[in-house]
Amino acid sequence: MKKQFIGKQSISFSEPVSILEHCSIVGKKEGEGPLADCFDLICEDPMFGTTSWESAESTMQKETAQMLLVKAGLAKEQIRLIFSGDLLAQTIASSFGIMDLEIPVFGLYGACSTMGEALSLGAMSIAGGYADYVISITSSHFGSAEKEFRFPLEYGNQRPLSATWTVTGCGACLLAPCGGSAVITGVTVGKIVDFGLKDSLNMGGCMAPAACDTIYQNLMDFNRMPEDYDRIFTGDLGSVGQTILLDLMKEKGFDISKQHEDCGLLIYNAKAQDTHAGGSGCGCSASVFSSWILPRVMSGELRRILFVPTGALLSKVSFNEGQSIPGIAQAVVVEHIPS
Amino acid sequence: MKKQFIGKQSISFSEPVSILEHCSIVGKKEGEGPLADCFDLICEDPMFGTTSWESAESTMQKETAQMLLVKAGLAKEQIRLIFSGDLLAQTIASSFGIMDLEIPVFGLYGACSTMGEALSLGAMSIAGGYADYVISITSSHFGSAEKEFRFPLEYGNQRPLSATWTVTGCGACLLAPCGGSAVITGVTVGKIVDFGLKDSLNMGGCMAPAACDTIYQNLMDFNRMPEDYDRIFTGDLGSVGQTILLDLMKEKGFDISKQHEDCGLLIYNAKAQDTHAGGSGCGCSASVFSSWILPRVMSGELRRILFVPTGALLSKVSFNEGQSIPGIAQAVVVEHIPS
């Protein structure tokens, strides 16, 4: 077998993997933000026609996958593998969401970094010759996430300004060996990084060190400078995490302030929508990537970007037991090619 | 890229992937069962020297990975990727367990099927040329699982005879492109299968249809008969699930009663140890594979086996909301080669 790994933590595909199609479905609040025109569907009903937050998220994920298939003109039987994940305990949003598709599945958990993981493993599957079509899909839902990690919505608790707002959204991509004008050329697999922070209402701070670690390693492994990327998109650091990331990268000798954008800062108008530090969740980076970033790579407006979803590896049990909140970040290099 | 997929759901590696080394650590009860002599370490302290069930499981997973490295004579820096998972919400046993190893990680969730998923993706990574050394590792712990899914241990609730006993155990394998006398030659990726069962104290019944689906598809895709395998090992169907699996396979025209064994039935002496239907958990199939199955493949006593860990895709939220318990099974073909 031909060696495709480079540096310490990265893979450089000898044959780039195409992202053929993309789809995103979001909730009402996301549909009132600056990216409103980019999403495939904005659902006004937060319950998505169901009776529980979990079923709502599952339905959103199922409909996103189905709409992706329609957009691509493929039948579900043509999809060889699906990589999916979400934030809920035992990833039930995904299990119940994609079940009816009857596609062979690998379930993932990487907290809010899961779309990076799903795209990485999806691309590895295509480039390894293990599949002709792969779907990478992740979701989050404000209602199910608040129930899973924080307080009942009815309690109406106050949130500090460092807190982020979990995006109700799902993003999905269709990967294939060739075709289209956006390709994945490499990935950098993240390590778990723990700075010992314990504040679950400042996830950006908890995840920024992991984002720095993965971005720095990507630059080292591929022997690149920040300006080799038109943009470096993190997942959901928000305004607090962004400041920390830029500082940490400067300490390592890199100024990425010109390239850096954060999906959590792109999806809402933070002041007008009262979302504090920005958006978060598996569905934040996934829906922004599938609605806003990818079309700009496909059009050639962005020639090469680094997509770095970030995850905070806590549960309510680990938090309540006084454990720290380690972070992880998974990076994917996406480039434009003339189609 | 060379096509390596065959049939509907399977991958046949053009260059088989070696399993170089294995390691297992289990708890006291598992150390009193029939496989006592096979485990690398039996820990008498259910808390593994910590103060919480979750930390106990993390410690067990960390020590298993470290012992695997010692057995293989490798430093952690030599491991390119780790695929890990467990049963806890947000897979915290794995995150906190493997964090200190500082190895790039892909977190998985496939319930008790996770070791099949970890071995599949690990083998795909090696055969794709994405890594030279990969660790696949999963764990479960009786105390943390009861807390996560059932009742506080202090409550002393009674269990029906269809219930299984979550194994306190961890199994880990080291994969590499060549060397050793056991290789992974193929995998069959499982679909989610839902027969509508809702009894969380009869997980074997919930998972048997998925096991049948994956085993049947494996036989179809590879054009094999049951006797082409010396053994077909499911993960944790237990006695109830085994009966259902054998019946379902007969309906599909295959009698696998001569080949079938279940890790959950191998690990305990069910009557003497009062474990009812058998053992279960991510750590059940992982520890039995790493302690008992793999050495027999390495020695040549077993020439070709199918390892099929089975998972029940529920959470306490989905269960309490009245949802069914879908199942999934991931199959790995392991063969002996003269070393």
Side-chain angles (χ1 to χ4, degrees), chain B residues 27-85:
Chain B
K28 184 166 178 280
K29 191 180 187 82
E30 292 69 28
E32 291 164 353
L35 307 186
D37 295 340
C38 307
F39 303 116
D40 289 285
L41 188 73
I42 296 161
C43 184
E44 295 287 320
D45 173 14
M47 303 303 284
F48 287 74
T50 71
T51 54
S52 76
W53 295 127
E54 294 78 19
S55 296
E57 187 176 344
S58 291
T59 302
M60 176 172 63
Q61 195 172 124
K62 178 174 159 177
E63 290 183 356
T64 307
Q66 286 172 334
M67 190 180 280
L68 177 74
L69 289 172
V70 170
K71 285 178 76 177
L74 292 174
K76 63 182 187 180
E77 292 78 14
Q78 292 176 269
I79 308 300
R80 191 85 194 176
L81 286 175
I82 186 164
F83 289 91
S84 65

Side-chain angles (χ1 to χ4, degrees), chain A residues 4 54 107 117 124 129 321, chain B residues 4 54 107 117 124 129-130 321:
Chain A
Q4 302 197 62
E54 294 78 20
E117 193 181 350
M124 289 161 69
E321 287 178 350
Chain B
Q4 301 197 63
E54 294 78 19
E117 193 181 349
M124 288 160 69
Y130 307 130
E321 287 179 351

Side-chain angles (χ1 to χ4, degrees), chain B residues 269-280:
Chain B
N269 183 330
K271 280 209 171 156
Q273 295 188 277
D274 197 25
T275 49
H276 297 190
S280 62

Side-chain angles (χ1 to χ4, degrees), chain A residues 158-165 238-240 264-265 268-271 273-279:
Chain A
Q158 287 201 311
R159 305 147 60 89
L161 289 173
S162 61
T164 47
W165 186 277
S239 52
V240 177
L265 293 171
Y268 297 124
N269 183 331
K271 280 209 170 156
Q273 294 189 278
D274 197 25
T275 48
H276 298 186

Side-chain angles (χ1 to χ4, degrees), chain B:
Chain B
M1 57 212 72
K2 193 170 162 188
K3 180 185 141 177
Q4 301 197 63
F5 55 88
I6 60 166
K8 277 192 179 174
Q9 293 173 224
S10 299
I11 294 165
S12 176
F13 296 113
S14 47
E15 297 178 43
V17 174
S18 291
I19 308 179
L20 279 191
E21 194 50 89
H22 51 87
C23 185
S24 58
I25 296 182
V26 298
K28 184 166 178 280
K29 191 180 187 82
E30 292 69 28
E32 291 164 353
L35 307 186
D37 295 340
C38 307
F39 303 116
D40 289 285
L41 188 73
I42 296 161
C43 184
E44 295 287 320
D45 173 14
M47 303 303 284
F48 287 74
T50 71
T51 54
S52 76
W53 295 127
E54 294 78 19
S55 296
E57 187 176 344
S58 291
T59 302
M60 176 172 63
Q61 195 172 124
K62 178 174 159 177
E63 290 183 356
T64 307
Q66 286 172 334
M67 190 180 280
L68 177 74
L69 289 172
V70 170
K71 285 178 76 177
L74 292 174
K76 63 182 187 180
E77 292 78 14
Q78 292 176 269
I79 308 300
R80 191 85 194 176
L81 286 175
I82 186 164
F83 289 91
S84 65
D86 61 88
L87 296 175
L88 302 185
Q90 288 79 41
T91 63
I92 52 166
S94 302
S95 302
F96 288 97
I98 58 167
M99 188 161 71
D100 295 342
L101 295 172
E102 298 178 310
I103 299 170
V105 60
F106 284 124
L108 309 179
Y109 186 79
C112 305
S113 77
T114 309
M115 192 58 176
E117 193 181 349
L119 287 170
S120 296
L121 288 167
M124 288 160 69
S125 298
I126 296 282
Y130 307 130
D132 38 8
Y133 291 117
V134 168
I135 290 178
S136 302
I137 184 168
T138 67
S139 66
S140 57
H141 189 296
F142 179 76
S144 63
E146 289 294 304
K147 179 173 163 184
E148 177 76 31
F149 293 101
R150 298 180 190 104
F151 298 98
L153 289 187
E154 295 80 356
Y155 182 68
N157 73 304
Q158 287 201 311
R159 304 145 61 87
L161 289 174
S162 61
T164 46
W165 185 278
T166 306
V167 165
T168 298
C170 178
C173 291
L174 176 72
L175 310 184
C178 55
S181 50
V183 291
I184 296 174
T185 55
V187 305
T188 300
V189 187
K191 296 187 311 232
I192 302 174
V193 177
D194 185 14
F195 267 31
L197 298 178
K198 295 187 175 188
D199 182 0
S200 75
L201 292 172
N202 179 7
M203 303 278 232
C206 298
M207 298 185 291
C212 171
D213 193 76
T214 299
I215 294 168
Y216 174 78
Q217 201 57 53
N218 177 274
L219 297 176
M220 291 294 104
D221 288 352
F222 286 90
N223 193 24
R224 286 182 186 149
M225 294 297 289
E227 38 290 11
D228 290 322
Y229 292 109
D230 287 345
R231 294 278 198 295
I232 296 172
F233 294 99
T234 47
D236 49 1
L237 294 184
S239 52
V240 178
Q242 180 178 48
T243 311
I244 300 172
L245 171 65
L246 296 180
D247 284 351
L248 290 172
M249 286 300 294
K250 261 188 201 148
E251 281 177 21
K252 286 189 173 277
F254 291 106
D255 178 0
I256 62 164
S257 58
K258 283 201 184 68
Q259 289 78 31
H260 184 253
E261 291 202 76
D262 184 70
C263 298
L265 293 171
L266 288 166
I267 196 165
Y268 298 123
N269 183 330
K271 280 209 171 156
Q273 295 188 277
D274 197 25
T275 49
H276 297 190
S280 62
C282 289
C284 176
S285 59
S287 65
V288 172
F289 182 75
S290 305
S291 66
W292 194 82
I293 299 173
L294 200 51
R296 270 153 193 78
V297 177
M298 287 177 165
S299 73
E301 181 186 331
L302 300 173
R303 289 157 308 145
R304 183 196 281 154
I305 63 118
L306 191 63
F307 177 55
V308 197
T310 38
L313 298 169
L314 82 162
S315 77
K316 56 180 175 279
V317 173
S318 71
F319 176 75
N320 287 332
E321 287 179 351
Q323 297 266 25
S324 60
I325 304 175
I328 190 164
Q330 305 285 3
V332 183
V333 182
V334 186
E335 303 189 34
H336 172 76
I337 54 163
S339 62

